[in-house]
Amino acid sequence: MDFIARQCWSLVTMDITYLRTSLTFLFLPLVVFGAPADEPNLTEPGPGACKRCCDSLDSSSDTPPVPPSHHHFPYPVPEVRPYINITILKGEKGDRGEPGMPGKWGKEGPRGERGAQGQKGSKGQMGAAGDPCKHQYAAFSVGRKKALHSSEGFQVLIFDTVFVNLYSHFDMFNGKFYCSVGGLYYFSLNVHTWNFKETYMHIMRNEEEAVILYAQPSDRSIMQSQSLMLELQENDEIWVRLYKRERENAIYSDDVDVYITFSGYLVKPSIE
């Protein structure tokens, strides 16, 4: 019985040993090739380290080591970018290029201050001869023999006597002088006042009053006059009117003598 028991125990022991050996070979790959490390060591293994038998003996000298990939690093790897200082590579100055197209005009700036007066220039050449039909003279002198009482607010003074009417520039029907030669003119008006009546008159330039001739009512009649110089343009009109206000306005004359005169003449034309 003891022999049989020893044989049975020996078989049990062999089975357990065989089972352990099988389990050791089963779990050994899991230990060696288990969970991978965080970062594989791609550098040359140190002395005494394990090396695969399939690797060549001088692989370190033939094949360069594989650079580590930044995807496996737990921290960002800075990117290296080369920088070239262009100023040290600056070449010589090139030729000047062709002028470009002109740009748009800018906005007009403010007007500048007036400059100093320049020197007087030299006398110019004589111009061409003028129109021989153009008269460079003008003169008139007319009078009135009849007295006049103003019956309207404004009344044109009409003359009935001609002393001078050069080139008929004075219209006797309308009582107006029409300027046909522009320039500097002299005019004079002479009237005789009426006793106890006001004398109020204007020498007119077109439709504007140039000067006034006025005399207050008095028990004596007197001669009143007015004169002036005007620079006229072509087609200007010169005439005389009476201006009636609250009091009666009148000028005296008779059928024998001339008490009222109106005269004018060209002193200097604008273009000689």
Side-chain angles (χ1 to χ4, degrees):
M1 289 294 294
D2 295 335
F3 176 75
I4 295 172
R6 285 195 298 270
Q7 291 294 329
C8 292
W9 176 253
S10 177
L11 292 174
V12 171
T13 303
M14 291 177 62
D15 293 335
I16 294 173
T17 302
Y18 179 77
L19 181 60
R20 288 179 178 178
T21 303
S22 301
L23 292 175
T24 299
F25 282 97
L26 179 62
F27 288 102
L28 182 60
L30 295 177
V31 175
V32 177
F33 304 101
D38 291 338
E39 194 61 41
N41 187 9
L42 300 179
T43 61
E44 186 69 17
C50 295
K51 188 175 182 181
R52 293 181 298 177
C53 58
C54 59
D55 294 337
S56 61
L57 296 178
D58 55 349
S59 60
S60 60
S61 60
D62 297 337
T63 305
V66 180
S69 176
H70 64 277
H71 296 290
H72 299 286
F73 289 101
Y75 49 86
V77 177
E79 182 179 359
V80 179
R81 294 185 179 181
Y83 171 75
I84 300 176
N85 188 359
I86 302 179
T87 58
I88 64 176
L89 302 178
K90 184 177 180 180
E92 297 181 358
K93 185 176 180 180
D95 297 335
R96 185 173 182 178
E98 298 181 358
M101 297 294 291
K104 297 181 179 180
W105 286 96
K107 296 181 178 180
E108 185 177 357
R111 185 175 181 180
E113 298 180 356
R114 185 174 183 179
Q117 185 176 0
Q119 297 180 357
K120 184 178 180 180
S122 58
K123 185 177 181 180
Q125 298 179 357
M126 182 180 295
D131 187 358
C133 298
K134 185 74 172 179
H135 301 290
Q136 299 298 327
Y137 306 97
F140 73 92
S141 181
V142 294
R144 182 182 175 96
K145 292 183 177 180
K146 295 181 180 180
L148 179 65
H149 288 76
S150 61
S151 59
E152 301 175 0
F154 299 103
Q155 186 175 356
V156 180
L157 180 59
I158 303 298
F159 299 88
D160 53 23
T161 304
V162 176
F163 299 107
V164 176
N165 190 8
L166 191 60
Y167 308 117
S168 301
H169 291 168
F170 192 92
D171 190 340
M172 298 295 293
F173 180 78
N174 294 321
K176 293 183 178 181
F177 168 73
Y178 294 93
C179 176
S180 61
V181 181
L184 186 63
Y185 284 79
Y186 174 83
F187 299 98
S188 65
L189 174 64
N190 297 274
V191 299
H192 196 282
T193 63
W194 201 304
N195 295 357
F196 305 105
K197 294 181 181 180
E198 185 180 47
T199 302
Y200 198 146
M201 308 176 71
H202 287 118
I203 297 179
M204 304 290 294
R205 177 179 180 178
N206 299 323
E207 298 299 326
E208 297 180 358
E209 302 91 348
V211 292
I212 185 174
L213 186 151
Y214 178 76
Q216 292 181 345
S218 175
D219 57 350
R220 295 182 301 171
S221 60
I222 59 174
M223 293 293 296
Q224 284 286 96
S225 65
Q226 179 65 280
S227 61
L228 78 159
M229 296 184 71
L230 292 174
E231 187 170 359
L232 302 183
Q233 304 294 329
E234 192 172 349
N235 298 323
D236 278 348
E237 300 176 4
I238 303 297
W239 50 289
V240 180
R241 76 176 184 186
L242 279 72
Y243 177 40
K244 182 181 180 181
R245 300 194 298 176
E246 293 80 4
R247 291 180 289 190
E248 188 176 6
N249 187 7
I251 51 178
Y252 175 81
S253 189
D254 56 31
D255 296 335
V256 179
D257 298 319
V258 179
Y259 288 86
I260 305 166
T261 61
F262 182 41
S263 304
Y265 61 90
L266 174 63
V267 177
K268 181 179 182 297
S270 299
I271 301 176
E272 295 183 347

